[in-house]
Amino acid sequence: RTFTLNFPSTAFFPGGISTAGPTFKNHGTGAYNRVSVAFDGASTENAVTGMFVMPDEYVGDSSTHKLKANICYYTNNTSSTNNNIQILASIEGIADGATTDLQAAQSFDDSPSPDVVTIPTVQGSLDIHTYDLTTEGADDGIAAGNMARLAIVRLGGSDGYGNDMFLASVSLYEETV
């Protein structure tokens, strides 16, 4: 790996690509307190990180490197049927001096393909799904040193699982092919 950035659930804000955003959910109390981002099962929702700078170590050459996201999530699923979700990750890259109005616009690639993921059949079980931003066309042509935001999208309502998906964390990294 050339770099790894880890984002806890609290690094994501509801909306960002559109106004449809998930809510924060607190599971447990005291020592068992876990805050997640709850993506609704009935509609498409997205959550976006705050701005960060893409690391200087980022190579960005798709012939030798892949940009990926490990999406860590869990559900309240207890059924062995209707247990697929559709999720994707997308990155927004804005170069220094670019003309994108940061107060009124976003520049996420709006054409990445979602992955269909089979979720665990045991309630609360963690699953880590690796989404390849390079292969799915979700890397927005980003370069090292660009201002960046990372988005997670769940395509609820059409994925077969009608309950919430709880985002625990995301690890963004680049690896050698």
Side-chain angles (χ1 to χ4, degrees):
R1 289 189 178 179
T2 59
F3 78 89
T4 301
L5 297 174
N6 293 307
F7 299 96
S9 61
T10 54
F12 289 86
F13 300 95
I17 295 177
S18 70
T19 57
T23 58
F24 287 104
K25 175 77 174 175
N26 183 7
H27 287 112
T29 58
Y32 305 105
N33 186 19
R34 289 184 177 88
V35 175
S36 68
V37 180
F39 288 79
D40 187 63
S43 60
T44 296
E45 293 184 328
N46 65 90
V48 176
T49 64
M51 294 178 279
F52 61 95
V53 175
M54 196 65 168
D56 289 336
E57 296 82 6
Y58 177 62
V59 176
D61 181 348
S62 63
S63 67
T64 60
H65 292 76
K66 299 286 185 186
L67 183 62
K68 296 184 177 184
N70 282 343
I71 303 169
C72 307
Y73 73 94
Y74 55 99
T75 68
N76 55 5
N77 186 39
T78 58
S79 172
S80 61
T81 60
N82 296 328
N83 56 354
N84 289 330
I85 58 172
Q86 292 184 41
I87 54 177
L88 65 89
S90 186
I91 198 158
E92 174 187 54
I94 300 177
D96 183 28
T99 58
T100 302
D101 183 348
L102 299 182
Q103 299 178 69
Q106 55 88 7
S107 70
F108 284 97
D109 186 340
D110 61 359
S111 62
S113 300
D115 285 352
V116 176
V117 181
T118 300
I119 62 176
T121 57
V122 177
Q123 177 176 325
S125 293
L126 180 68
D127 189 37
I128 301 173
H129 175 70
T130 301
Y131 186 86
D132 187 332
L133 284 85
T134 305
T135 302
E136 300 294 353
D139 63 3
D140 198 35
I142 195 164
N146 283 177
M147 187 281 302
R149 294 188 301 162
L150 178 64
I152 302 298
V153 180
R154 178 189 176 193
L155 286 77
S158 61
D159 62 13
Y161 179 66
N163 294 316
D164 288 353
M165 177 199 88
F166 304 106
L167 180 68
S169 65
V170 177
S171 181
L172 178 70
Y173 61 95
E174 183 183 50
E175 69 181 11
T176 306
V177 175

